Amino acid sequence: MPLLSIQHLSLPIEDPVLKFLLELIIILSAPLLLNKIKVPHLLGLIIAGAIVGPNGYNLLSRDSSVVVTGTTGLLYIMFLAGLEIDMGDFKKNKWKSLAFSVYTFAVPFALGLFGGLYILHFNLLTSVLFASLFSSHTLIAYPLVSKLGIAKNLSVNITVGGTMVTDVLSLLVLAVVVGMTQGQVDSSFWISLSVSILLFSFIVLFIFPVIARWFFKHVEDKISQYIFVLVVIYLAALAAELAGIEAIIGAFFAGLALNRLIPHSSALMNRVEFVGNAIFIPFFLISVGMLIDFKVFFKSWETIGVAAVMLVCSIGGKYLAAIATQKTFRLSRDEGMLIFGMSSASAAATLASVMVGYNIIISETASGEPIRLLNEHVLNGSILLILVSCTVSSFISMSSAQRIADAENEETISGNNPDEENMLLAMNHEETVESMVNLSLLLKSDAADSRLVALNVINEDKRESSMKNAEKVLKKAVDTAAAADVVLQALTRYDDDVIGGITNVLKEQKVTDLMIGLKDGKGFSRSFVDNLYNGYLRNEHVNILVYHATQPVSTVKRYKVLIPEHADQEPGFFYALLRVWNIGRRSGAVMEFYADGKITGILKRIIRKANIEASLNEVTGWEETGRIASGLKADEGLIVLMAKRGMVSYLPQMSLLPDFLTQNLQNNNYLLIYPFSEVKEEDMEKRSISNHDDFAAIGNIIGRLFK
């Protein structure tokens, strides 16, 4: 095979190695160079694409390889938007998202219709399609906002939810206009379109999750799980196209379908985000830049005039819609500007609509020239619109998102948060490692001083075999946590007495939570129950969590949470409840609480400030526990807040629960939480119920709520 000869190098570059190398250099250098001058790297990638593209120095052609990876990047952006949306907040704020979608669709559409009819003098059909170009938007700034850790902010939630609606509406306008140009808009057209969209929605939102849950339960290979995610994205995109709508809507729906099955703190989520942000999304931005041709704006004043109208209608309309949303829902100035920044970028749906309109020939001139539904001035103007709108979107989103993130961080720091959190995972069996680490990723707080520690106690009598087992178990724990980009500290301790070894480590490491895993299918053995009551539970200052897992935590649809009477009077009640809240908040599972009237009232007040998908059921006594637990279905889990002997909420019947669970819930996940029963003197101010500010981590719930 002949070597690449620089002397005979032709443009655009055809050698695949050199092409890919150049693209990777652009992806690598853009963030490093532009971050220093406070320019969003998203904009840098678009400009770089324009420079190296066919309309620039023609170093690279916009061939099929660029289009394929770029299309994947576009689908990836929409998929991540659907995947990372908080479904509890989405349902809570659905009317806000709907109102925003009305604003952000109607205002730019009205401006565009006026501009098309009275300024550019288009016909009605062309003006309607022209106006629809400005109603849609692409969440090009979403990765930047997500990186700053404010993806759950109300303004982001409203914008993401509204994007789905307004993009669907604008693309429906496209479908109707195309149908009218072909004379196909009749009752059968509307029936066919409605049925196909409903069928598509049902398949993606209801059938896909069932298939995905089965896949994640039965296939443990991490690479296969990631490839499955890509397959789901493209299947949903294809299904959307078959239904007569754009592929980006399918990708967004795919994100919603997998939302509950890929926890935000999981290893799979880390892989999905990493590959998308490192490869696919940058390729999309470069491919968008390759469309830009600056020369066309120096060839025709008419093109400049059309482009000016498009910029005013699109960016001006999005600004007015964002301000209207801000005023309607009394959001802060920064939140209003973030909505404007995220919704101002026009790329995907706009480009799709323009290309479709440009390719539709409605008649011919006397000289035989085609008269297109959207002329070349609109096509060239759309390229300038993409560049300017993406520039505005990048700068506005970055500045407003940074201010919001700084304000949230300042609020968290200034609040009376609990002291350092140290979670200890006591591990001895390799088969329990992955399930314990994955649960701990849901339970732990986001605080920088939160630590995960895995411990294996080596038996002095069986030193050699115990050392080999410890090395294997702890390596798997470290690797599992590292896959989710979390640092886990591995500890080994030599001791004849396992209980004594763990107890000493609890003191040395200032542990706040101890998790113990039960082997699948074995449950509570007599020896373990004895160690639990006579050993682990004697550590009064520590939350004790006993976990039994038969399936991945991400595939559990619903948890039934049992809380005994007077549990709210225990010192560790709210800390234990925080763990339950984190499971619901991060896994997306529905939490069904069963408690007495007083505790149910407390839960209602918490839900108002820290929303999760939950239902509250008032029960009169512990006697109903067996009935509730026995009613557990497949893909449901059980969480029980227990009590240590001598505590106010302790009941003698609690001692029977381990045997009941072992006999009846062998095929379900369950978690027993024993809240700490005493508060250290140095922690009294922070951990006392009367001054409990711990819920700042899940919803800025302040201590006064619990007084």
Side-chain angles (χ1 to χ4, degrees):
M1 180 180 292
L3 296 175
L4 176 67
S5 174
I6 300 298
Q7 290 83 359
H8 298 92
L9 182 65
S10 61
L11 300 178
I13 297 171
E14 297 295 335
D15 182 75
V17 176
L18 188 55
K19 284 175 61 177
F20 199 70
L21 174 61
L22 180 58
E23 291 165 340
L24 289 179
I25 290 174
I26 293 172
I27 295 172
L28 173 64
S29 58
L32 296 178
L33 295 175
L34 297 176
N35 284 345
K36 293 183 178 180
I37 57 176
K38 304 299 182 182
V39 175
H41 68 274
L42 305 179
L43 178 60
L45 291 170
I46 294 175
I47 295 175
I51 294 173
V52 304
N55 299 313
Y57 288 102
N58 197 28
L59 298 179
L60 299 175
S61 62
R62 197 173 187 273
D63 56 16
S64 58
S65 63
V66 174
V67 173
V68 169
T69 50
T71 301
T72 303
L74 171 59
L75 298 179
Y76 227 97
I77 290 176
M78 297 302 295
F79 172 72
L80 286 176
L83 186 65
E84 294 188 1
I85 192 171
D86 189 305
M87 294 305 294
D89 287 340
F90 180 69
K91 290 184 176 180
K92 179 181 178 181
N93 301 311
K94 58 185 177 183
W95 298 115
K96 292 184 176 69
S97 292
L98 185 60
F100 165 69
S101 65
V102 171
Y103 288 142
T104 199
F105 178 85
V107 176
F109 186 89
L111 292 176
L113 189 61
F114 178 86
L117 287 173
Y118 299 106
I119 299 178
L120 302 177
H121 304 293
F122 293 152
N123 61 49
L124 179 60
L125 207 57
T126 298
S127 297
V128 170
L129 182 57
F130 180 76
S132 72
L133 301 180
F134 317 122
S135 295
S136 64
H137 54 257
T138 302
L139 294 172
I140 200 170
Y142 183 82
L144 185 151
V145 172
S146 178
K147 187 177 180 180
L148 290 174
I150 60 170
K152 294 182 181 297
N153 183 273
L154 176 59
S155 59
V156 178
N157 201 286
I158 290 174
T159 308
V160 171
T163 297
M164 174 182 65
V165 179
T166 192
D167 281 3
V168 168
L169 290 175
S170 62
L171 294 171
L172 283 178
V173 171
L174 172 64
V176 172
V177 170
V178 170
M180 292 182 70
T181 60
Q182 299 171 352
Q184 297 177 351
V185 178
D186 52 18
S187 58
S188 62
F189 169 84
W190 291 109
I191 293 173
S192 175
L193 184 62
S194 301
V195 170
S196 61
I197 291 177
L198 289 174
L199 185 61
F200 152 75
S201 302
F202 175 78
I203 291 174
V204 175
L205 296 179
F206 293 96
I207 304 299
F208 277 25
V210 174
I211 298 173
R213 180 171 279 106
W214 178 90
F215 187 89
F216 290 143
K217 284 175 66 174
H218 295 88
V219 178
E220 297 182 358
D221 181 68
K222 308 306 178 187
I223 296 176
S224 297
Q225 289 184 350
Y226 178 74
I227 298 300
F228 175 80
V229 171
L230 291 182
V231 169
V232 169
I233 295 173
Y234 268 94
L235 271 178
L238 179 61
E241 290 183 337
L242 293 175
I245 54 179
E246 272 297 309
I248 56 175
I249 304 301
F252 183 82
F253 273 48
L256 295 178
L258 299 185
N259 185 283
R260 300 181 185 279
L261 297 170
I262 306 180
H264 296 170
S265 56
S266 66
L268 181 56
M269 175 65 87
N270 188 50
R271 294 186 185 97
V272 169
E273 290 183 328
F274 176 81
V275 176
N277 291 324
I279 301 294
F280 292 127
I281 294 176
F283 267 100
F284 163 67
L285 297 172
I286 293 173
S287 70
V288 169
M290 288 182 175
L291 295 169
I292 297 172
D293 184 3
F294 296 101
K295 296 187 292 291
V296 300
F297 303 107
F298 300 99
K299 295 179 180 178
S300 169
W301 285 105
E302 188 175 351
T303 296
I304 297 176
V306 172
V309 172
M310 296 178 72
L311 288 171
V312 171
C313 293
S314 179
I315 298 178
K318 294 299 182 183
Y319 177 78
L320 293 175
I323 295 301
T325 305
Q326 175 194 335
K327 299 297 184 183
T328 301
F329 301 114
R330 299 179 181 178
L331 303 177
S332 68
R333 172 68 177 172
D334 287 334
E335 289 175 324
M337 293 306 295
L338 181 57
I339 292 176
F340 167 59
M342 291 184 65
S343 64
S344 59
S346 297
T350 299
L351 189 60
S353 298
V354 168
M355 294 305 297
V356 170
Y358 181 76
N359 291 325
I360 293 177
I361 299 174
I362 53 179
S363 62
E364 292 184 353
T365 63
S367 60
E369 293 293 325
I371 298 177
R372 303 177 183 275
L373 186 60
L374 293 178
N375 59 36
E376 64 178 5
H377 301 301
V378 177
L379 176 62
N380 293 329
S382 68
I383 301 303
L384 182 62
L385 174 61
I386 289 173
L387 175 62
V388 174
S389 65
C390 289
T391 302
V392 171
S393 176
S394 299
F395 276 104
I396 297 297
S397 297
M398 184 177 74
S399 58
S400 55
Q402 187 64 61
R403 287 192 295 270
I404 291 173
D406 291 342
E408 289 185 355
N409 291 336
E410 183 179 347
E411 185 177 339
T412 300
I413 293 171
S414 63
N416 185 20
N417 293 322
D419 54 347
E420 61 178 335
E421 172 190 275
N422 299 313
M423 188 173 294
L424 179 67
L425 314 181
M427 296 179 168
N428 190 43
H429 305 291
E430 187 178 2
E431 56 267 39
T432 65
V433 170
E434 188 169 351
S435 60
M436 291 177 66
V437 172
N438 287 336
L439 180 66
S440 70
L441 296 179
L442 299 183
L443 295 173
K444 68 184 288 290
S445 73
D446 296 326
D449 54 3
S450 175
R451 285 199 310 143
L452 285 181
V453 181
L455 171 68
N456 183 275
V457 178
I458 296 177
N459 193 319
E460 289 284 8
D461 296 334
K462 302 177 181 178
R463 187 185 183 97
E464 185 174 349
S465 60
S466 295
M467 286 179 63
K468 291 180 179 179
N469 180 65
E471 183 178 348
K472 185 188 302 183
V473 166
L474 295 179
K475 182 180 184 303
K476 185 174 182 180
V478 171
D479 291 345
T480 303
D485 202 22
V486 173
V487 176
L488 181 143
Q489 179 184 355
L491 288 180
T492 55
R493 187 176 186 90
Y494 297 89
D495 208 305
D496 292 332
D497 179 18
V498 174
I499 305 298
I502 292 176
T503 299
N504 290 330
V505 172
L506 293 178
K507 298 175 182 177
E508 294 166 2
Q509 298 294 326
K510 298 181 180 179
V511 171
T512 56
D513 301 84
L514 169 64
M515 184 189 299
I516 309 162
L518 299 175
K519 292 181 69 174
D520 182 17
K522 291 196 172 182
F524 290 85
S525 63
R526 290 179 179 268
S527 60
F528 180 84
V529 172
D530 183 64
N531 289 337
L532 178 65
Y533 283 103
N534 298 316
Y536 301 124
L537 294 182
R538 291 187 175 181
N539 296 285
E540 296 91 352
H541 310 297
V542 180
N543 289 323
I544 308 296
L545 301 98
V546 182
Y547 183 47
H548 174 267
T550 61
Q551 67 183 81
V553 67
S554 62
T555 62
V556 178
K557 290 182 181 179
R558 181 185 311 272
Y559 286 97
K560 296 187 176 181
V561 185
L562 310 181
I563 303 177
E565 190 178 8
H566 306 305
D568 58 304
Q569 299 180 30
E570 305 292 3
F573 171 68
F574 292 106
Y575 275 74
L577 204 57
L578 176 61
R579 302 292 176 242
V580 177
W581 232 258
N582 280 342
I583 293 176
R585 187 168 61 104
R586 291 173 175 157
S587 71
V590 178
M591 314 300 284
E592 284 188 6
F593 290 94
Y594 294 85
D596 64 15
K598 181 182 178 183
I599 295 177
T600 301
I602 293 174
L603 296 176
K604 286 180 181 178
R605 295 160 66 190
I606 298 175
I607 288 174
R608 291 193 195 106
K609 298 225 176 176
N611 187 54
I612 59 174
E613 286 200 75
S615 62
L616 305 179
N617 303 276
E618 191 171 332
V619 293
T620 55
W622 187 257
E623 293 74 18
E624 297 188 49
T625 302
R627 175 187 59 81
I628 297 168
S630 299
L632 234 59
K633 301 175 183 177
D635 299 328
E636 291 186 342
L638 180 70
I639 299 176
V640 185
L641 264 64
M642 302 288 282
K644 300 174 182 178
R645 288 187 178 125
M647 302 306 295
V648 178
S649 60
Y650 176 77
L651 296 170
Q653 300 94 311
M654 288 182 177
S655 61
L656 304 176
L657 188 59
D659 285 339
F660 174 85
L661 297 176
T662 302
Q663 295 173 14
N664 296 279
L665 296 184
Q666 296 180 1
N667 300 319
N668 295 89
N669 287 18
Y670 55 81
L671 174 68
L672 304 187
I673 304 178
Y674 295 84
F676 59 79
S677 53
E678 288 187 10
V679 182
K680 295 179 183 178
E681 186 175 349
E682 60 267 28
D683 296 335
M684 187 67 70
E685 182 178 352
K686 289 183 176 180
R687 286 197 164 192
S688 64
I689 295 177
S690 61
N691 188 34
H692 198 288
D693 297 321
D694 190 26
F695 276 89
I698 62 168
N700 194 28
I701 294 181
I702 58 177
R704 289 190 301 273
L705 180 64
F706 302 112
K707 286 185 179 179

